[in-house]
Amino acid sequence: MTLKERYKRFKAWQLEPFDWSYDENERHHCANCGNDFAGKFCPHCSQKADLKKVSWKSVFQSTAEVWGMGNRSMLYSLWQLIWRPGYFISDYINGKRQVSFPPVKMLVLMGLLSVLMDHLLGIKEFKAVRGDTSLDAEFFAWFWSSPGWGWLVMTGFFLIPTWCLFRYAPRNTKHTLPQGFFITVFMAIQTLIVECLADFFGYYTYILIPLCYFYTFRQLFGYDFWGNFWRVVITLVSGFWLVIMAMAIVDLLTASSKYGVSDLVFLILHTVVLILVGMFISKKTFDFREKNKQTLSQYLKKKIQALKLRIKQKKKQNNHEE
């Protein structure tokens, strides 16, 4: 098999990793409850139709399930999230949840794993400045002690920009804010994966975070390279500004002199304008795309009608000649 064929096979697997097709005429007899059925699983007791005799493979699978390495396991979901992240998230928010480990639970477990790795390796311990009792210091202390929830809060600032800029995407058009919450959860999990890699390979590994957003959002929303690129850039920049804006508001409420009202107004104006301009362009692109779809559909209908009419005329001509 050539490299090109392997890539095509990998792309096909990314789009559809699970084969749910079956022959309705093929009947099975359930060895567990005695029910006769068609399909891959018994509708009464959920046992597999193609259950085979006990073998060494059965021993391995049973042992793996003890450590959570079976289907719908955390490791399996992380594998999907690495190799087909956008498609995997799209499957989840559109109802294919049976093959996914619960995302919020996975985020918490990944956060605990990150804390354990940091503790064992003795790195990234937050050291507060002596006498610094500001809310910023307390937040970052909490952030490094609970990275799962911390990264969820940080990536949560990208929720609104993502919803605005990718609302009119070719794929998952007009996704809702609850769906956006789960997108945020999965992106926080990806960030934790990058953080675990940074423990071994250094802080420059964090450059993978914007690449993860680009790769995931391209699969998730279906824009082309440049359309996805500028939207991801605006999403990350505006989300970062929202983080600074939140810190500025906290400083103003605590009478800190770090940020002023003018700085806050500057951030608000730039963030709102940036998001609205991106949303306006996305809406115009969406309207143009939908108009072209309708035009193409009408064109094809006219062509099909003309072809049918030509076939009828040809048949009548043949009948007259006979």
Side-chain angles (χ1 to χ4, degrees):
M1 185 181 293
T2 64
L3 186 62
K4 187 176 181 179
E5 291 173 341
R6 289 179 182 273
Y7 178 73
K8 287 183 177 179
R9 188 174 178 181
F10 173 70
K11 291 296 292 184
W13 172 82
Q14 282 187 314
L15 293 170
E16 194 59 54
F18 310 107
D19 181 18
W20 304 110
S21 61
Y22 64 91
D23 186 2
E24 293 184 358
N25 296 322
E26 185 179 357
R27 307 296 298 181
H28 302 283
H29 182 78
C30 181
N32 186 51
C33 66
N35 180 45
D36 292 324
F37 64 96
K40 294 187 176 183
F41 295 90
C42 175
H44 284 181
C45 65
S46 302
Q47 181 162 284
K48 282 186 177 181
D50 58 347
L51 198 65
K52 299 176 182 179
K53 293 183 179 180
V54 175
S55 62
W56 286 111
K57 184 179 180 180
S58 306
V59 174
F60 174 77
Q61 289 177 343
S62 298
T63 306
E65 287 175 357
V66 174
W67 301 100
M69 291 186 288
N71 290 337
R72 204 174 181 264
S73 68
M74 180 173 167
L75 290 178
Y76 184 79
S77 296
L78 289 175
W79 177 263
Q80 295 275 323
L81 199 57
I82 291 172
W83 291 108
R84 52 183 302 269
Y87 300 127
F88 180 69
I89 297 172
S90 181
D91 289 344
Y92 185 86
I93 63 176
N94 287 305
K96 295 182 180 180
R97 297 169 193 164
Q98 189 60 31
V99 295
S100 172
F101 193 80
V104 178
K105 185 178 180 180
M106 181 160 54
L107 175 66
V108 174
L109 293 177
M110 280 297 298
L112 293 175
L113 177 63
S114 177
V115 171
L116 179 62
M117 289 179 62
D118 291 347
H119 179 72
L120 293 176
L121 297 175
I123 56 179
K124 273 194 285 192
E125 294 181 355
F126 179 81
K127 296 180 181 179
V129 179
R130 183 174 296 179
D132 187 359
T133 58
S134 65
L135 290 178
D136 292 350
E138 292 180 6
F139 170 77
F140 284 110
W142 168 80
F143 179 89
W144 291 120
S145 62
S146 304
W149 297 113
W151 279 116
L152 179 60
V153 171
M154 294 294 286
T155 54
F157 285 99
F158 303 131
L159 175 60
I160 297 299
T162 300
W163 182 78
C164 293
L165 293 166
F166 292 91
R167 180 168 171 75
Y168 302 104
R171 193 178 298 131
N172 293 306
T173 308
K174 296 184 179 179
H175 72 280
T176 63
L177 285 176
Q179 289 176 326
F181 168 78
F182 284 105
I183 293 173
T184 301
V185 171
F186 281 116
M187 296 311 300
I189 294 170
Q190 281 192 327
T191 307
L192 281 170
I193 295 174
V194 173
E195 183 179 336
C196 291
L197 293 175
D199 290 345
F200 293 97
F201 301 105
Y203 287 99
Y204 65 87
T205 313
Y206 283 110
I207 192 64
L208 292 176
I209 292 178
L211 296 178
C212 286
Y213 271 88
F214 176 82
Y215 184 63
T216 302
F217 280 15
R218 182 154 189 208
Q219 292 183 355
L220 180 60
F221 296 111
Y223 279 115
D224 60 11
F225 181 90
W226 291 111
N228 184 63
F229 177 80
W230 70 262
R231 287 177 176 87
V232 169
V233 170
I234 293 180
T235 298
L236 296 179
V237 170
S238 57
F240 179 71
W241 283 353
L242 287 172
V243 173
I244 299 177
M245 194 185 306
M247 296 174 65
I249 292 173
V250 170
D251 287 333
L252 286 173
L253 293 176
T254 55
S256 174
S257 60
K258 189 181 297 184
Y259 297 97
V261 178
S262 59
D263 297 326
L264 183 60
V265 173
F266 175 84
L267 285 171
I268 292 174
L269 288 176
H270 278 70
T271 304
V272 171
V273 169
L274 193 62
I275 292 176
L276 288 180
V277 168
M279 190 174 181
F280 175 78
I281 297 174
S282 298
K283 180 64 167 62
K284 288 297 181 182
T285 307
F286 173 78
D287 293 338
F288 178 76
R289 187 170 62 245
E290 289 299 309
K291 184 179 179 181
N292 284 345
K293 278 184 181 179
Q294 293 176 1
T295 305
L296 180 62
S297 177
Q298 293 172 357
Y299 174 78
L300 291 175
K301 284 181 180 178
K302 290 180 180 179
K303 281 292 184 182
I304 292 172
Q305 290 174 357
L307 181 62
K308 287 181 178 178
L309 182 62
R310 192 179 301 172
I311 292 172
K312 287 182 181 179
Q313 292 175 349
K314 191 71 174 176
K315 285 183 178 179
K316 287 181 180 180
Q317 185 179 353
N318 292 336
N319 292 333
H320 284 303
E321 289 177 357
E322 291 177 357

